[in-house]
Amino acid sequence: VGVTAQGSPTLVLKGTTVEFHDADTNVWYKATFTLREDTNPKQLEAVVTDCPFPNYVGKTSHGIYKIEDGKLTFAANEPGNAAVPASFDAKGARYFVFTRQ
């Protein structure tokens, strides 16, 4: 089951902070993140610092990522879910591919 949305999500990284805006402008997150490069796939943890969903603020989202051919691919679970996605197409994880601009 897929969803098609107008617009494109954006991701802005600055130091150890990230700001994500979904294609749905009502969905956005600000977070601080750490990377684990000693795993395969590489992992990230993002602690939500601000978003329109109060129950997510302060929660951690666990994900995996790869950087290949100028693209950042990542999959992450809902904030508060302690599991790391097993793969980029893991059930329940959101999956994104970003190209640097």
Side-chain angles (χ1 to χ4, degrees):
V1 175
V3 176
T4 302
Q6 299 252 336
S8 298
T10 61
L11 185 75
V12 177
L13 302 167
K14 290 184 182 176
T16 59
T17 63
V18 61
E19 188 168 337
F20 169 82
H21 290 263
D22 203 342
D24 174 349
T25 58
N26 295 313
V27 178
W28 55 269
Y29 297 91
K30 293 181 181 179
T32 58
F33 69 93
T34 56
L35 302 177
R36 288 200 52 205
E37 297 181 356
D38 61 340
T39 60
N40 187 16
K42 296 175 183 177
Q43 297 179 10
L44 64 89
E45 292 183 350
V47 178
V48 178
T49 57
D50 195 13
C51 74
F53 314 106
N55 55 321
Y56 286 165
V57 175
K59 301 273 174 87
T60 301
S61 180
H62 299 272
I64 56 175
Y65 73 97
K66 65 181 177 180
I67 300 171
E68 292 178 340
D69 301 324
K71 294 180 181 179
L72 167 65
T73 302
F74 80 91
N77 284 327
E78 179 178 22
N81 180 343
V84 175
S87 64
F88 291 101
D89 60 353
K91 184 176 179 170
R94 292 203 59 201
Y95 171 85
F96 298 93
V97 178
F98 291 98
T99 302
R100 186 175 184 170
Q101 294 185 2

